[in-house]
Amino acid sequence: MQNQPGFQQVYSQNRANGCYVIEIALDQYSDIFNEWDPAPFKRRDLDPYLQQYLEESSDEIPLRYPLEICFQLPQKSRDRPLEKTVCDGFQNCLAFRLYLLSQEQQRLNRYILLFVLAGFSLIGSATLFRDRLGETILISTLVEGVVVSGWVFLWEAVSLIIFKKRELRHRYRSYQRLQQAPIIFAELPPDA
């Protein structure tokens, strides 16, 4: 076991399906959801600490490995009909997160297009008008300022593509993975 990657020492693997298991101990089913959200389970938001834990756990296990989420409850406290409602609420919350991330990706694409158009427009107009306006210090300074502004817009577009889009894509894939993960409910061992 010493030559295994770190995540394999932390997360158990379900031998039946090959999924790595994210185990979460609960006192009650409502611990999954935000206690300040008065909506029924099917529409309630996830507990922020649980959401953070799931995101971090998903990040620790490489994307090529499937996941399974196991909610563990105290002995003799399982309610199978309620588990279906909780699973539906959990899936709805993740679907809504995916929707918000796709909206953010679309908004980001619009900004990138706007920045690219603005950058090339500023650089192009500065190049076209440089010869027509003459060579005074004021005109030269203004033209160079417009060129620099154009490059700033282009750099912002490149920055959004390289950094922000990558981060959003990763978060989207992480939420998709969590949404596709089977959800298991189990009882905690008596000594836990």
Side-chain angles (χ1 to χ4, degrees):
M1 192 116 186
Q2 291 176 351
N3 61 354
Q4 291 181 336
F7 78 92
Q8 291 177 331
Q9 294 175 355
V10 174
Y11 299 97
S12 61
Q13 187 176 25
N14 182 337
R15 300 287 180 211
N17 59 15
C19 293
Y20 282 91
V21 182
I22 300 174
E23 296 176 319
I24 300 135
L26 305 172
D27 290 325
Q28 54 196 1
Y29 292 99
S30 62
D31 292 345
I32 296 171
F33 300 102
N34 189 338
E35 65 185 37
W36 295 102
D37 189 348
F41 283 157
K42 283 190 176 187
R43 292 198 172 103
R44 196 179 285 191
D45 199 14
L46 289 180
D47 178 79
Y49 296 114
L50 173 63
Q51 181 179 331
Q52 181 181 1
Y53 178 73
L54 288 170
E55 288 173 3
E56 289 171 359
S57 296
S58 178
D59 285 345
E60 288 174 2
I61 302 170
L63 282 172
R64 67 179 174 268
Y65 298 106
L67 297 178
E68 181 176 274
I69 300 168
C70 180
F71 291 112
Q72 299 176 332
L73 292 143
Q75 291 283 313
K76 298 182 176 141
S77 66
R78 288 191 59 197
D79 180 349
R80 284 168 177 70
L82 184 57
E83 288 174 5
K84 170 78 171 104
T85 304
V86 167
C87 282
D88 290 345
F90 187 82
Q91 293 297 328
N92 287 341
C93 184
L94 293 177
F96 185 65
R97 297 261 181 233
L98 286 169
Y99 169 76
L100 292 177
L101 285 172
S102 71
Q103 292 296 312
E104 193 172 343
Q105 285 176 335
Q106 289 176 8
R107 188 171 37 256
L108 188 65
N109 289 337
R110 286 192 298 271
Y111 281 132
I112 290 169
L113 179 62
L114 178 69
F115 291 156
V116 167
L117 290 174
F120 281 124
S121 297
L122 288 169
I123 292 171
S125 62
T127 304
L128 286 174
F129 291 117
R130 176 176 284 149
D131 296 331
R132 294 183 184 169
L133 295 175
E135 274 299 316
T136 66
I137 293 176
L138 179 63
I139 297 297
S140 181
T141 303
L142 288 174
V143 167
E144 290 304 318
V146 171
V147 169
V148 168
S149 299
W151 283 113
V152 168
F153 275 111
L154 289 176
W155 171 249
E156 185 62 25
V158 169
S159 172
L160 289 175
I161 291 169
I162 292 174
F163 301 112
K164 189 69 172 174
K165 272 187 81 78
R166 183 171 180 251
E167 175 194 332
L168 277 176
R169 246 189 333 267
H170 175 75
R171 286 178 54 210
Y172 191 87
R173 286 195 317 232
S174 182
Y175 274 109
Q176 274 184 322
R177 181 182 190 203
L178 289 169
Q179 187 183 38
Q180 294 166 358
I183 299 173
I184 308 298
F185 290 92
E187 289 183 354
L188 286 165
D191 59 342

